[in-house]
């Protein structure tokens, strides 16, 4: 079977993954699903379904009354690893207007809502220039508005990565003015007026290239039942969860997890988790 799969063209394998996605999440799939999603003919859709049966005969059964293929009782994924994060990311992307409804593999979107996030004014032309500079290993001269100065200033930066702190988009860059690797909010880049060869290697950004593993556990003042609930929320094992984060993003991760303040400053039910290996933070401040 592995040899047969290795010979599949990318488009065919993608359609087989789609069949499996629909079977796992929706419980059924038919020819029209493939035709609508990929624009293939009736014959091609039938061929894809038969090909899938050839690979995984126990995974789907034809239901004559419903006139569709349904998930078999012995279903075992062959083409993709079912991933809750991928499903929820598609759901959020469609609901937020990032992904068009017809581009999603989810057939029946469940009702969805999220806490509102203010729109961040990232200029697409600025983003294009930053990404281009990253690809070409160039430095760019940007007009940047920081909180520390009343007026925006021109400065040369050499961007090498894009980062998201859970709320805002940054570029990680070497600032030639301050001679240090720093985070620059994309929304605060007002103009770009020049570029040149950088000469700065991203390999020298130690904080970006090193990771910290945060160990979190339920707040010790929670009841046993409450602690079990929090352990479920964070997928904890043995009373702790391990979260890897780049050192460059450590500040943002701690703030997002509510670990940037003294746990005693909030009620245990509000704080919920505590950092078990605070020495990883203290090491950054020594």
């Amino acid at each position: 079977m592995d040899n047969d799969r290795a010979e599949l063209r990318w488009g065919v394998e993608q359609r087989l993954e789609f069949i499996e996605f629909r079977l796992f999440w929706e419980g059924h799939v038919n020819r029209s699903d493939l035709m609508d999603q990929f624009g293939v003919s009736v014959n091609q859709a039938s061929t894809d379904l038969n090909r899938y049966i050839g690979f995984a005969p126990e995974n789907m059964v034809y239901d004559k009354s419903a006139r569709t293929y349904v998930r078999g009782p012995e279903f075992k994924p062959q083409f993709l690893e079912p991933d809750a994060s991928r499903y929820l990311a598609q759901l959020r992307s469609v609901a937020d207007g990032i992904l068009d409804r017809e581009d999603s593999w989810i057939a029946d979107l469940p009702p969805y809502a999220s806490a509102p996030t203010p729109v961040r004014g990232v200029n697409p032309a600025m983003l294009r220039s930053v990404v281009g500079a990253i690809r070409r290993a160039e430095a760019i001269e940007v007009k940047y508005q920081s909180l520390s100065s009343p007026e925006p200033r021109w400065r040369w930066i050499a961007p090498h990565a894009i980062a998201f702190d859970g709320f805002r988009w940054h570029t990680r860059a070497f600032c030639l003015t301050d001679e240090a690797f720093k985070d620059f909010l994309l929304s605060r880049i007002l103009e770009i007026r020049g570029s040149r060869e950088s000469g700065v290697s991203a390999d020298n950004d130690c904080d970006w290239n090193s990771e910290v593993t945060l160990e979190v556990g339920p707040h010790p003042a929670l009841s046993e039942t409450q602690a079990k609930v929090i352990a479920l929320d964070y997928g904890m094992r043995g009373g702790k969860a391990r979260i890897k984060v780049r050192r460059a993003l450590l500040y943002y991760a701690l703030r997002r997890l509510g670990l940037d303040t003294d746990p005693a400053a909030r009620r245990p039910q509000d704080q919920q988790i505590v950092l078990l290996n605070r020495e990883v933070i203290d090491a950054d401040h020594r």
Side-chain angles (χ1 to χ4, degrees):
M1 176 175 171
D2 289 339
N3 290 336
D4 291 340
R5 282 194 58 182
E7 294 177 1
L8 290 174
R9 297 191 308 277
W10 177 82
V12 175
E13 185 161 9
Q14 188 183 39
R15 295 196 296 273
L16 296 180
E17 287 183 7
F18 172 81
I19 291 170
E20 196 158 272
F21 182 94
R22 282 288 175 90
L23 287 171
F24 182 84
W25 291 107
E26 313 286 344
H28 56 83
V29 66
N30 56 35
R31 289 182 306 184
S32 63
D33 294 330
L34 287 159
M35 294 163 62
D36 293 342
Q37 188 71 35
F38 297 99
V40 297
S41 65
V42 174
N43 289 340
Q44 182 62 65
S46 296
T47 298
D48 289 333
L49 289 167
N50 288 328
R51 182 181 278 118
Y52 184 84
I53 292 173
F55 280 113
E58 305 297 324
N59 277 7
M60 68 180 187
V61 180
Y62 189 71
D63 186 329
K64 292 182 179 178
S65 61
R67 303 179 76 176
T68 189
Y69 287 96
V70 297
R71 184 176 59 236
E74 303 298 322
F75 179 89
K76 292 181 181 178
Q78 301 292 327
F79 289 89
L80 56 81
E81 188 68 32
D83 187 345
S85 296
R86 179 182 176 185
Y87 181 93
L88 294 172
Q90 280 200 41
L91 175 60
R92 179 175 181 180
S93 295
V94 172
D96 290 352
I98 299 170
L99 183 69
D100 289 339
R101 176 68 187 83
E102 55 269 21
D103 292 331
S104 169
W105 283 13
I106 302 173
D108 298 314
L109 286 168
Y112 165 87
S114 66
T117 300
V119 176
R120 294 290 169 179
V122 178
N123 184 297
M126 300 299 114
L127 175 60
R128 181 184 61 191
S129 295
V130 170
V131 172
I134 292 171
R135 289 174 178 158
R136 295 185 296 270
E138 291 180 342
I140 51 177
E141 190 178 17
V142 302
K143 190 176 185 180
Y144 190 76
Q145 177 65 70
S146 67
L147 284 177
S148 59
S149 60
E151 297 296 327
R153 294 171 52 199
W154 285 99
R155 64 175 69 208
W156 283 92
I157 66 172
H160 69 80
I162 301 292
F164 184 61
D165 66 8
F167 198 54
R168 302 175 297 184
W169 288 96
H170 306 247
T171 182
R172 182 72 178 174
F174 184 79
C175 178
L176 281 77
T177 302
D178 296 338
E179 296 188 333
F181 285 100
K182 303 172 69 174
D183 302 325
F184 292 91
L185 281 169
L186 293 174
S187 58
R188 293 183 187 171
I189 296 177
L190 307 180
E191 292 181 55
I192 298 176
R193 69 180 181 187
S195 64
R196 69 188 189 202
E197 193 173 330
S198 169
V200 178
S201 173
D203 294 340
N204 295 329
D205 190 348
C206 297
D207 284 345
W208 180 264
N209 293 308
S210 63
E211 286 186 334
V212 173
T213 299
L214 303 177
E215 294 184 355
V216 300
H219 194 293
L222 292 174
S223 69
E224 184 177 347
T225 300
Q226 291 170 332
K228 286 181 179 178
V229 172
I230 299 304
L232 284 173
D233 287 345
Y234 287 85
M236 295 180 185
R237 293 183 178 181
K240 67 174 66 172
R242 292 178 173 84
I243 304 170
K244 285 187 176 182
V245 59
R246 293 181 187 270
R247 282 193 179 274
L249 300 178
L250 179 58
Y251 167 78
Y252 308 115
L254 293 172
R255 186 174 63 179
R256 225 186 150 192
L257 292 167
L259 298 172
D260 57 335
T261 57
D262 184 351
R266 304 170 68 195
R267 295 191 318 136
Q269 292 85 349
D270 295 330
Q271 179 64 32
Q272 299 186 354
I273 59 172
V274 295
L275 186 62
L276 302 177
N277 60 337
R278 185 158 291 275
E279 65 273 10
V280 300
I281 301 177
D282 296 337
D284 275 9
H285 295 292
R286 283 202 293 267

